[in-house]
Amino acid sequence: MASSNPTVLQFAPSSTSVSAKVHPLVIFNICDCFVRRPDQAERVIGTLLGSVLADGTVDVLNCYAVPHNESSDQVALDIDYHHNMLQSHLKVNPKEAIVGWFSTGFGVTGGSALIHEFYSREVPNPVHLTVDTGFTNGEASIKGFVSVSLSLGDQQLAAQFQEIPLDLHMVEAERVGYDILKTTTVDKLPNDLEGMEASMERLLTLIDDVYKYVDDVVEGRVAPDNNIGKFISDTVASIPKISPPAFDKLVNDSLQDQLLLLYLSSITRTQLSLAEKLNTAAQIL
């Protein structure tokens, strides 16, 4: 009886270990481009700039929007504009390179494969970043994807988008702004004290989580992890040992300096406004 080799449907090997780090400036730029988009445009498409770290992590540092026309079955990008913007960015940041592309909206759409094919010619294995500016699930969800080829034997049939881990690296001031940006409604923007209060509440929550983890390890409810233990030890060792009175004095002195800067900036704004009005009055007379 003759034997035949079965045709196997398989995915091309992809770097499942690929992950991405996104700077908050990228998210803010994408949201700003969406607000400034043409009236007839439903979404914004653009290029991601950054670098690939030694461990394979894609570090996304900057972006810019690319004009496009989109219909149900085709997408047309302004390639000349894309290349001109890229050259302009490279003059300022020559170490940055194309690492992928972004689009606004929830998840991947039908035309995403065509755009991803174009960026695959610009850079190998580009990252596709999506920002849900429509708040589909009640917040602006951010996701990252890479393309995986689906082949039947030696014939490539299609490409599938596979979600990858995404990490948002930001300082505390950027975190406050991002938390406001991703919510659907905002009564008012927080002032400095309210932002500091939110940061302190988040810090206390993290400290409680660390306390709970350490107690669970000591009681034997959780298996110890040397990497986590070393990270906690390094964090505690980095905190200077200051007595409570000295810490209170340090905080109060810093607060007084901040209030003095606010007062001086207010006086400067008032003086500039007064000088502008006097200049206008002098020109009229």
Side-chain angles (χ1 to χ4, degrees), residues 27-271:
I27 307 301
F28 298 148
N29 281 346
I30 293 175
C31 294
D32 182 66
C33 293
F34 180 77
V35 172
R36 300 171 185 270
R37 73 190 188 282
D39 295 336
Q40 67 276 13
E42 296 183 357
R43 66 170 180 166
V44 176
I45 295 172
T47 303
L48 298 176
L49 300 176
S51 61
V52 180
L53 304 181
D55 58 354
T57 302
V58 179
D59 192 14
V60 184
L61 301 174
N62 207 344
C63 68
Y64 59 86
V66 177
H68 74 286
N69 293 319
E70 189 172 5
S71 62
S72 58
D73 57 347
Q74 63 180 359
V75 179
L77 291 175
D78 192 338
I79 299 178
D80 291 337
Y81 179 89
H82 159 68
H83 288 153
N84 291 334
M85 285 294 295
L86 177 61
Q87 294 301 322
S88 299
H89 276 271
L90 292 180
K91 290 180 181 178
V92 181
N93 299 308
K95 293 184 178 181
E96 293 182 357
I98 299 176
V99 294
W101 65 286
F102 72 84
S103 67
T104 58
F106 184 71
V108 179
T109 62
S112 298
L114 299 175
I115 305 173
H116 200 83
E117 182 181 356
F118 164 74
Y119 279 95
S120 296
R121 297 193 295 267
E122 298 283 319
V123 59
N125 198 22
V127 172
H128 176 31
L129 183 70
T130 63
V131 179
D132 182 17
T133 51
F135 298 89
T136 304
N137 293 328
E139 64 177 14
S141 62
I142 303 171
K143 296 182 180 181
F145 301 90
V146 293
S147 179
V148 180
S149 298
L150 177 63
S151 59
L152 182 61
D154 296 333
Q155 182 180 4
Q156 181 175 345
L157 299 180
Q160 181 189 36
F161 284 97
Q162 185 179 49
E163 188 172 353
I164 61 174
L166 203 63
D167 190 12
L168 293 176
H169 274 280
M170 57 188 72
V171 298
E172 196 57 39
E174 295 168 337
R175 171 71 63 180
V176 173
Y178 173 73
D179 289 342
I180 296 174
L181 185 66
K182 72 177 183 179
T183 55
T184 54
T185 57
V186 177
D187 295 331
K188 67 181 185 68
L189 295 177
N191 54 36
D192 293 339
L193 293 179
E194 291 173 344
M196 181 181 296
E197 181 181 2
S199 300
M200 291 297 102
E201 290 177 353
R202 188 179 298 107
L203 178 61
L204 290 175
T205 302
L206 294 175
I207 293 176
D208 290 338
D209 292 340
V210 173
Y211 269 124
K212 183 178 183 303
Y213 172 78
V214 173
D215 290 340
D216 290 341
V217 171
V218 172
E219 297 296 333
R221 293 188 293 267
V222 176
D225 189 317
N226 293 333
N227 293 329
I228 297 178
K230 185 178 183 302
F231 181 79
I232 295 175
S233 177
D234 293 341
T235 303
V236 174
S238 64
I239 302 175
K241 188 176 181 180
I242 304 176
S243 62
F247 181 76
D248 291 341
K249 183 177 183 303
L250 180 64
V251 172
N252 290 330
D253 291 345
S254 177
L255 181 60
Q256 292 296 329
D257 292 341
Q258 293 292 335
L259 293 176
L260 179 60
L261 288 175
L262 292 175
Y263 177 70
L264 292 176
S265 62
S266 177
I267 291 178
T268 303
R269 285 196 301 269
T270 303
Q271 189 174 18

